[in-house]
Each structure stands twice: as C-alpha cells, then as structure tokens.
Amino acid sequence: MEYKKANKKDVKFLLKFYNDSLIQEKGLNIKNEIILENNILDTINYFEEEYLDMLILIDNNDFIGLLMIYEKNKIKDYCKIGISFIKEFRYKNLFVKALRLAEEIVYNYGYSKIVGEIDENNKYVIKKILNYGFYPVEDNRNKKKKFQIDRKILIFEKKLKGVIL
C-alpha cells in the first residue's frame, strides 16, 4: 500500500469519498449532507495550514481511501488518526496495512502514541484494532452539534515502540 498527499487535483475522488453515506455517518458524524468541491478544497487547505496530513491510500494504482492525521499533540505525545475506505475496498483486509502505514508515519514524526476514535457500532474496526494492539482509553458521548448525529465514540490508543514493516 502506498499513499500520496491529497491536493486540488484529487477533488473527483474526494467528492466520491466524502459523499459516501457510511463515511459521512461514521467518519464525519453527519447524515445525508452533500459535500461540494469548495468543501473539499477548504478541507485540503485546513490540513495544509495546520500541518496535518490528508493522505490518499493507493493499492495497485487505485485510490482506495484516506488516512488522515487530524490531530498532533506534542504535550501528550500522540497523533490522532482516521482511516476510511471507499465502498469497493471495504472489508478487503486492507485496514491492517493502512494501520501499519499510519504507525510508520506517526513514529517517524517522533510521537510515541497513536490514537483513534471509533463509533461503538463499528464492530469490524474495533475487533481489528484490538487484535492489532490498541487498547480502549475512553468512552465519549459526543455533544450534538449542528448537522451531527448522536453516537457513542470509543477512543483507543497504541504505544509505538518502533515500527517493523
């Protein structure tokens, strides 16, 4: 699995990605919204301005999903990540490859922990990350914001001791 930094030329893929109902519900905490090109461009700009990473995952030359490092906390020594795949590539045993890639990137940034927020109903991902060495650190009931849906979020973390690829 490879990756590339998302840019303006990737808008077509990112529109498909962000307008997927499952990604909206589980990843963005919204439902039935239409994400437009200007929303995508604003998101790309935000990630660049904040020195965060929006990375398009690539497998066999296909754009298959996103790996995002959307929070870097030097004081608590962690990066918070999100991994999602477009519909055609879900449940294809690519998730662990993406986790390894995330670990490598976070480790190379010099952080000692990787953190993920997962919807409690996403049993597939919870099982995968528990088997991969993550452990639960917090239950968090999101406060409902405009356009967001109520859901329970579980927070998991893994301590990085070095990355073996």
Side-chain angles (χ1 to χ4, degrees), residues 8 14 25 46 49-50 76-77 85 121 130 140:
K8 293 183 275 189
L14 294 169
E25 184 179 337
Y46 171 80
E49 289 168 4
E50 298 297 320
K76 294 183 180 178
D77 197 24
F85 296 94
N121 296 315
L130 288 172
N140 185 16

Side-chain angles (χ1 to χ4, degrees), residues 58-113:
I58 305 167
D59 193 56
N60 295 322
N61 295 320
D62 291 318
F63 287 9
I64 63 171
L66 279 185
L67 163 58
M68 297 191 302
I69 299 174
Y70 61 92
E71 183 179 324
K72 295 176 182 175
N73 189 319
K74 290 200 179 283
I75 294 168
K76 294 183 180 178
D77 197 24
Y78 71 80
C79 286
K80 199 174 277 188
I81 66 159
I83 299 170
S84 295
F85 296 94
I86 59 172
K87 189 175 188 176
E88 302 91 317
F89 293 94
R90 291 183 193 133
Y91 313 109
K92 304 271 188 205
N93 293 319
L94 295 167
F95 185 74
V96 171
K97 286 183 182 180
L99 272 177
R100 283 189 193 117
L101 189 60
E103 271 190 319
E104 177 185 5
I105 293 166
V106 170
Y107 181 77
N108 288 335
Y109 280 155
Y111 292 90
S112 70
K113 291 181 280 191

Side-chain angles (χ1 to χ4, degrees), residues 22 25-26 29 31 91 117-127 141 149-154 156:
L22 187 65
E25 184 179 337
K26 302 293 184 200
N29 202 24
K31 206 168 195 171
Y91 313 109
E117 299 176 309
I118 302 164
D119 184 290
E120 71 173 342
N121 296 315
N122 198 339
K123 305 296 185 201
Y124 174 82
V125 170
I126 291 170
K127 181 179 178 184
R141 174 68 69 179
I149 55 176
D150 283 325
R151 64 187 184 140
K152 190 169 185 180
I153 300 299
L154 305 175
F156 294 84

